[in-house]
């Protein structure tokens, strides 16, 4: 997730670097910020597992008090196998034989504009393996899709499905949100 202000684009929350362009004739600016952001659980995240893993549906607050920015991140549901119109076969991506989806919601509560993406999300398995997003959007991918790069103004949210090509004979333990340069947040995936 990248934070962009109107005057000078700056990465504030969770990305290590970002590029943004101004209006016509303005130079392209790239800024790298190494800043620790304190993330505190939201009111519904209090029902976390003993190991700090959140329950599916729990909301997490991400607060950058220094820059007066607050967002919420929520994993609402996980479905495996995905029951809906099927995109091209998963094995065309990373070797999975079925599709799974995560229903995600991110809200910009307060502060500057933020940019959201599917890239910080992955699935983690008990054997130590993980599965990342495909990087594919549009076409036959499950709808509504969580955006790949969308700017949210304060008071706005983005919600949608993220598709993962998964092995049908394995079930992930956690849905992981790990923006570059930040500590991961995990939601437990209930056994299906």
């Amino acid at each position: 997730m990248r934070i962009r202000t109107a005057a000078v684009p700056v990465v504030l929350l969770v990305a290590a670097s970002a590029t943004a362009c101004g209006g016509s004739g303005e130079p392209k600016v790239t800024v790298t910020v190494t800043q620790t952001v304190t993330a505190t659980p939201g009111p519904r995240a209090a029902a976390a597992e003993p190991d700090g893993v959140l329950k599916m549906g729990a909301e997490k607050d991400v607060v950058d008090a220094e820059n007066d920015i607050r967002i919420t991140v929520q994993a609402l549901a996980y479905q495996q196998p995905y029951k809906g119109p099927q995109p091209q076969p998963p094995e065309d991506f990373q070797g999975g034989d079925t599709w799974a989806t995560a229903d995600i919601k991110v809200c910009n509560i307060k502060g500057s504009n933020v940019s959201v993406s599917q890239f910080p999300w992955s699935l983690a398995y008990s054997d130590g393996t993980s599965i990342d997003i495909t990087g594919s959007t549009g076409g036959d991918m499950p709808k509504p899709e969580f955006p790949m790069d969308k700017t949210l103004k304060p008071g706005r949210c983005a919600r949608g499905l993220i598709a993962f090509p998964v092995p049908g004979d394995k079930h992930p333990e956690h849905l992981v949100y790990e923006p570059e340069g930040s500590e991961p947040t995990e939601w437990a995936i209930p056994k299906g």
Side-chain angles (χ1 to χ4, degrees):
M1 180 168 303
R2 295 178 301 254
I3 302 296
R4 290 187 260 175
T5 61
V8 179
V10 179
V11 175
L12 296 174
L13 269 183
V14 291
S17 67
T19 302
C21 297
S24 65
E26 290 184 26
K28 188 174 186 181
V29 178
T30 301
V31 178
T32 301
V33 175
T34 54
Q35 176 179 348
T36 303
V37 176
T38 303
T40 55
R44 289 181 275 181
E49 302 291 329
D51 59 0
V53 175
L54 302 174
K55 292 183 179 179
M56 193 60 63
E59 182 179 86
K60 171 130 182 189
D61 283 340
V62 179
V63 178
D64 179 354
E66 182 178 313
N67 295 296
D68 196 30
I69 296 170
R70 178 176 166 231
I71 65 167
T72 59
V73 181
Q74 190 174 19
L76 299 165
Y78 177 82
Q79 183 183 99
Q80 178 183 335
Y82 168 68
K83 296 173 181 77
Q86 294 296 299
Q88 66 191 82
E91 62 269 7
D92 292 349
F93 293 100
Q94 299 169 333
D97 59 16
T98 192
W99 287 103
T101 59
D103 187 358
I104 306 300
K105 183 177 181 181
V106 177
C107 295
N108 183 356
I109 305 302
K110 176 182 177 183
S112 301
N113 292 347
V114 296
S115 182
V116 296
S117 172
Q118 294 183 16
F119 286 109
W121 296 91
S122 64
L123 298 174
Y125 291 81
S126 62
D127 64 4
T129 59
S130 64
I131 294 181
D132 294 325
I133 65 156
T134 65
S136 296
T137 61
D140 294 333
M141 296 306 279
K143 306 289 188 257
E145 285 181 84
F146 190 82
M148 280 302 252
D149 189 23
K150 179 179 179 135
T151 300
L152 296 179
K153 295 178 182 181
R156 301 284 175 97
C157 297
R159 180 177 176 182
L161 300 176
I162 297 176
F164 295 94
V166 298
D169 61 346
K170 288 175 68 175
H171 194 79
E173 273 192 325
H174 302 121
L175 177 62
V176 181
Y177 175 71
E178 187 174 7
E180 195 170 322
S182 294
E183 291 293 316
T185 300
E186 299 179 336
W187 286 263
I189 297 175
K191 299 281 185 210

